[in-house]
Amino acid sequence: MSKTTTKPLTVETVFNYIGFDTSEGELRCSYEVGGYTFTERFVLEGSWETDASQEAARIIFLLAGISYYKSHAPAVIDLGDTEIRSGERKFLREYYIGGLGEFSYKNSLSLSSLEIVGGVEAGEAPSVDEATQANPLICFGGGIDSIVTVELARKSHPNAKLFVMSPAETRFAPLEQAAAVTGLEILRAKRFLDPQILKSSELGFLNGHVPVTGIVSAVAIAAATMHGCSEVIMSNEASSSEGNLEYDGRMINHQYSKSLEFENLFRTVLKQAFGTNPDWFSYLRHRNELWIADQFAKLTQYHSVFRSCNRAFHIDESKREATWCGECDKCAFIDLILAPFMARDALAEMFNDNEPLENPGMFDVLKSLVSEEPGFNKPFECVGDINECRQAVELADAREDRASNHNLERLSQLFPATTKDVSQLPHNLPESYATRHIVD
C-alpha cells in the first residue's frame, strides 16, 4: 500500500529549540512553534550536576523536540544557540525524517524538504572515567524481548539493573509485575509531556507516531551517567529494521528508533559525547522474534504477568485494558509468535479464552502479518518481519493441539515461508555479552 499524493511542509512558521535547564533537580526542555511554547519535563533518580549528566541532558533535549515539532510540521527547524557536535545536525535530520515516517504517511506529508539550521559548536566533551567493572542498565518494557534480555544478560552480569520510564506520576501494572519477577534493582525516570500536546485534536495540531524508543534511550543514558553504569542495553531484534511500506521515495518503518540504522547513528553521537563509556547497544540485534519467542516460552515465571497489548499502556489510565484485548495487531502477533512453542491451552488461558488465533474474525488481522498482497502491509506496530511470521504459522499449524485451527491452515496454504540464513546478522554486541545466549 502506498500513497502518491503528498503535501509539502508548512513554510509559515519555524520550529524553534528554546533551551533546557536543570536548575531545580529536573530536566526541562522547551520548544516553540506556531505561537505555542512547549515544555517537557524529566525526573530521574540522581543528580544532573555532573558534566556527563549535562551532556546527556543536551542529547535528550535534541531528541525530545520531535514530539512537539509534529504539532505543526514546519519546513524549518531552528536549533538556535543549542550546542551541537560534528554530525549531529545531519543525525537529527535523519532522526526526524525516519522517526516521523509513519506520521508523514498518515498525514500525507512529504518530509523531504525538511531543513535544520542553527546550533553552535559544543565545547569539549566531558571526561568520563572507564567503568572498573561491567554494571549494565537494561531498558525494560515488560515484553518478551526485554524479559529474554534480562534473563540472558544477568547470567554473566548479575549486578545488572533495570531502567524503567513511566509517563507523569503513573505506572503500568503489567510492566511493574514483570519487573518484580526479575528481582533486580530498578532505576526510574518520569516523563511529563507538555499538557498542550495531549490536547492535539482540540487545538488543531497534527498528530501521529513518534520514535519514543530514541527518547527512552537518551534518558537511559542520563541515568547511566548518574549511577556509573557501564552500558545501556536495549532489546531491539533484527526484524525491527524491516520497514512497513514505501512512501515519498523511502521505506518508512514504525520501529525506526529500534532499527539497526538508528542504532548505528546514535552510537556515533554517543561516542563523540562520551567516548566509550557508557556504551549503548541492543542485546538481541542478531536474533529474530522466533528465536526470542522460543527462549521466552521457557521462562514460565513470566507467563502470567507479562502483557504486550498496547491498550494496557494507554497514557490515559481510564482507557487502559486490564487484560489482553485479543483484537489488536500486537495481540495477534504475540499469540502467533508464541504458538509454535507454547501449548494451545496455555495461550488460551493467557488471552482469557479470547485468543486471536482461535478467532475466525481475526483472519484479516493475522493475514496482515504474513501478506504482501495489495491492500495489506506490515502493521504499524512492533511486530516481526513477514517471513518469520510465515514460519510461525507453519510451525504452529504443525502442532497437534492446533490441528483444527482454520486460521493457521488457510494462512499456511496461502503464504508459504522461505528459508533465510539468519546466522550472521549484524550487531554491536560486545564480546563480553556474546557468550550467553540460551535460557537454561
Side-chain angles (χ1 to χ4, degrees):
M1 181 185 299
S2 63
K3 294 183 180 181
T4 57
T5 303
T6 62
K7 298 180 293 187
L9 299 175
T10 179
V11 295
E12 287 77 22
T13 187
V14 172
F15 182 74
N16 295 291
Y17 276 68
I18 303 302
F20 71 90
D21 72 83
T22 57
S23 59
E24 297 177 9
E26 64 180 29
L27 172 62
R28 293 181 297 280
C29 303
S30 296
Y31 316 91
E32 185 276 331
V33 62
Y36 291 89
T37 298
F38 301 96
T39 298
E40 180 161 326
R41 299 164 49 226
F42 297 90
V43 178
L44 277 71
E45 301 171 352
S47 171
W48 291 103
E49 295 179 1
T50 68
D51 291 342
S53 296
Q54 285 292 304
E55 181 73 353
R58 184 187 68 85
I59 294 173
I60 295 170
F61 175 56
L62 289 175
L63 270 63
I66 201 166
S67 299
Y68 307 97
Y69 165 86
K70 71 171 184 176
S71 66
H72 291 70
V76 177
I77 296 173
D78 189 346
L79 300 177
D81 59 2
T82 302
E83 292 189 348
I84 57 173
R85 302 194 183 282
S86 175
E88 286 184 347
R89 192 181 290 108
K90 181 179 180 181
F91 160 76
L92 272 180
R93 188 173 187 275
E94 287 299 312
Y95 168 69
Y96 269 82
I97 293 177
L100 292 177
E102 179 184 341
F103 163 83
S104 65
Y105 171 75
K106 290 188 174 181
N107 288 280
S108 299
L109 293 171
S110 173
L111 295 175
S112 59
S113 64
L114 180 64
E115 183 180 4
I116 299 182
V117 301
V120 299
E121 184 177 351
E124 185 178 352
S127 176
V128 181
D129 294 334
E130 292 290 333
T132 57
Q133 63 174 347
N135 54 339
L137 186 61
I138 302 174
C139 281
F140 191 77
I144 65 174
D145 299 337
S146 58
I147 287 171
V148 168
T149 291
V150 165
E151 292 303 324
L152 295 178
R154 71 188 304 171
K155 289 184 174 183
S156 53
H157 298 79
N159 59 341
K161 298 181 178 66
L162 303 185
F163 174 76
V164 171
M165 189 166 83
S166 303
E169 297 292 353
T170 188
R171 292 184 181 181
F172 297 116
L175 189 161
E176 295 297 328
Q177 290 164 4
V181 172
T182 72
L184 297 179
E185 180 183 346
I186 303 174
L187 299 185
R188 296 185 179 276
K190 296 177 183 178
R191 181 189 184 199
F192 296 81
L193 288 163
D194 189 293
Q196 296 171 107
I197 208 66
L198 299 176
K199 300 178 180 179
S200 290
S201 297
E202 179 183 333
L203 296 174
F205 297 159
L206 295 172
N207 204 359
H209 176 75
V210 297
V212 68
T213 300
I215 300 169
V216 172
S217 298
V219 180
I221 287 291
T225 65
M226 292 175 178
H227 295 270
C229 296
S230 54
E231 53 263 331
V232 171
I233 300 179
M234 309 301 291
S235 301
N236 306 321
E237 76 295 326
S239 61
S240 62
S241 296
E242 182 189 67
N244 298 81
L245 52 79
E246 289 190 16
Y247 172 70
D248 195 29
R250 64 183 291 156
M251 179 63 70
I252 64 173
N253 183 359
H254 171 83
Q255 300 186 81
Y256 173 76
S257 59
K258 293 184 177 182
S259 69
L260 180 61
E261 176 185 351
F262 176 80
E263 181 174 324
N264 288 337
L265 290 171
F266 193 47
R267 281 173 59 82
T268 299
V269 168
L270 294 176
K271 187 173 182 179
Q272 285 195 119
F274 300 104
T276 59
N277 187 53
D279 197 0
W280 177 86
F281 57 87
S282 174
Y283 194 90
L284 301 175
R285 179 63 64 197
H286 58 324
R287 300 296 185 182
N288 65 17
E289 290 277 19
L290 274 173
W291 186 91
I292 294 165
D294 186 19
Q295 300 298 300
F296 178 79
K298 303 166 188 174
L299 300 171
T300 56
Q301 66 271 35
Y302 292 96
H303 291 183
S304 64
V305 297
F306 99 102
R307 192 156 76 251
S308 294
C309 174
N310 282 343
R311 297 183 189 181
F313 296 90
H314 201 287
I315 292 179
D316 185 342
E317 291 187 69
S318 66
K319 297 181 180 179
R320 291 180 195 166
E321 295 280 354
T323 61
W324 296 82
C325 77
E327 299 174 350
C328 67
D329 296 322
K330 193 61 178 285
C331 281
F333 171 68
I334 292 296
D335 191 23
L336 174 60
I337 207 70
L338 290 177
F341 312 108
M342 290 178 61
R344 172 181 171 179
D345 288 347
L347 286 170
E349 181 180 358
M350 184 170 74
F351 283 94
N352 296 306
D353 293 321
N354 188 28
E355 193 187 358
L357 286 177
E358 299 296 331
N359 182 354
M362 288 291 288
F363 180 78
D364 281 349
V365 176
L366 292 163
K367 182 179 177 180
S368 70
L369 297 171
V370 297
S371 177
E372 294 177 296
E373 294 178 355
F376 285 85
N377 60 269
K378 180 181 176 182
F380 289 113
E381 255 299 351
C382 296
V383 298
D385 68 40
I386 289 173
N387 193 61
E388 67 181 333
C389 287
R390 291 179 178 181
Q391 290 177 305
V393 166
E394 293 184 353
L395 290 170
D397 187 47
R399 288 180 61 102
E400 290 186 7
D401 59 359
R402 297 287 183 177
S404 61
N405 188 291
H406 297 298
N407 280 338
L408 290 170
E409 182 179 5
R410 289 176 64 192
L411 292 172
S412 64
Q413 291 173 354
L414 290 170
F415 305 103
T418 58
T419 301
K420 290 185 178 181
D421 182 10
V422 294
S423 62
Q424 300 296 323
L425 293 172
H427 62 85
N428 294 301
L429 191 66
E431 182 60 31
S432 61
Y433 287 90
T435 56
R436 299 277 187 165
H437 291 305
I438 305 296
V439 173
D440 293 331

